Amino acid sequence: MRMVDVISKKRNGEALSKEEIDFVIKGYTNGDIPDYQMSALAMAIYFQDMTTEERVHLTMAMVESGDQIDLSDIEGIKVDKHSTGGVGDTTTLILAPLVAAVGVPVAKMSGRGLGHTGGTVDKLESIEGFKVELDSKTFNELVNKNKVAVVGQSGNLTPADKKLYGLRDVTATVNSIPLIASSIMSKKIASGADAIVLDVKTGSGAFMQELEDSRALAQAMVEIGNGAGRNTIAVISDMDQPLGFAIGNALEVKEAIDTLRGQGPADLHELCLTLGSQMVYLAGKADTIEAAREKLEHAMESGEAIEKFKTFIASQGGDASVIDDPSKLPTANYTFEVEAKEDGVIAAIVADEIGIAASILGAGRSTKDDVIDLAVGLVLNKKVGEQVTKGDSLVTIHSNREDVAEVIEKIYQSYTISKEVVETNQLVYDIIR
Ligand code: URA
Ligand code: CA
């Protein structure tokens, strides 16, 4: 087989066979196929698209390019949740103990990653003593015993995706539905999930800003998941404004604690129940989505959800007393209020700008070697649709620096205050299965 023939076949709009896709991914991973040929193929895929069958083959070829996590020693249907990313998305931190409290096994592998705030692992490490370095035997035992454990990323998962994503980044081929969908799904499948709930974000703070694009991506991922034998459901949710109130690491842990007690921000609470009920349903722990939701609401109200969080933290060496006393979490030296300059209704909060404001404070990393400040971040006091009077606090800044002029500037750029009636966005646009 010759790579040049595969490229010309795709360029002409024909579908590639499983053998051809395997040849490409194996050859590219081991270095036999050079970047320039792979770039040409990525561009041909960008313009000619791929059939569902090709997308499944591409995903599985990337899964098989590296290690695959074996969760077969863990009892039950392992359901993973994946978010396409956004600002202040605390859902993983909440959903892990929440669905575990109703018996769903959560075997979560989580990275640190780049972004406006840290990843789930960073957030959890704002709890004194919490460790994510677990060997696989301990990890499996913890999930069997407590139904929940989180381990840091290890092993060589989907090296083909790593290499191809890097290439796409510099060849203007990131924004291709078959390539994005196979990239995300290959990582989920390699991590050992039996079933997958996807939270596909849409709006100004999302990877896909238009609803129709988000829907197409969601559809593509659900088809790949189901085609690869993993029951998959996608929820399309709003990321036009940040989710919840808190954006920052320790601040989001505090917000997760409130939400597990049923006292979280309305949007975050609702999205966790929506995603969580799909997870419970896929894990076979409820016969209907409605029944699943009732179980989760009960776990919040009865205190089982917060108790599960305590058990989970303590089992991984963390100081679980922070859950009843969040003042033990890292706190910043200074707080500043950003005040409304006029009366009106909040018409928009551009999520991306808020995320940048949080990263200026040091809440996230822009390169792998950056050190995160777990204490800093933002708390939104007003969200879209709320009435404000001049002088009201829009946002509280938690900072370890006295000079926050640039952060304040970003926050003002993000907020729009209107004199007119404002229509708020839906939180959940669609559920695709
Ligand atoms: N996230 C991924 O993991 N892969 C993509 O291709 C795009 C976003
Ligand atoms: Ca949040």
Side-chain angles (χ1 to χ4, degrees), residues 165 168 179-180 183-184 187 207:
Y165 199 6
R168 287 163 55 210
L179 295 178
I180 299 169
S183 167
I184 293 173
K187 285 175 277 213
F207 196 61

Side-chain angles (χ1 to χ4, degrees), residues 74-80 95-107 143 146-149 195 197 276-286 292 295-296 308:
I74 297 172
E75 300 138 22
I77 301 171
K78 276 73 72 183
V79 187
D80 202 357
L95 284 168
L98 179 60
V99 303
V102 305
V104 178
V106 179
V143 183
N146 299 330
K147 296 292 170 200
V148 54
V197 174
S277 45
Q278 301 293 337
M279 294 172 77
V280 172
Y281 175 73
L282 283 186
K285 297 289 175 189
K295 284 191 168 196
L296 295 175
K308 185 57 81 178

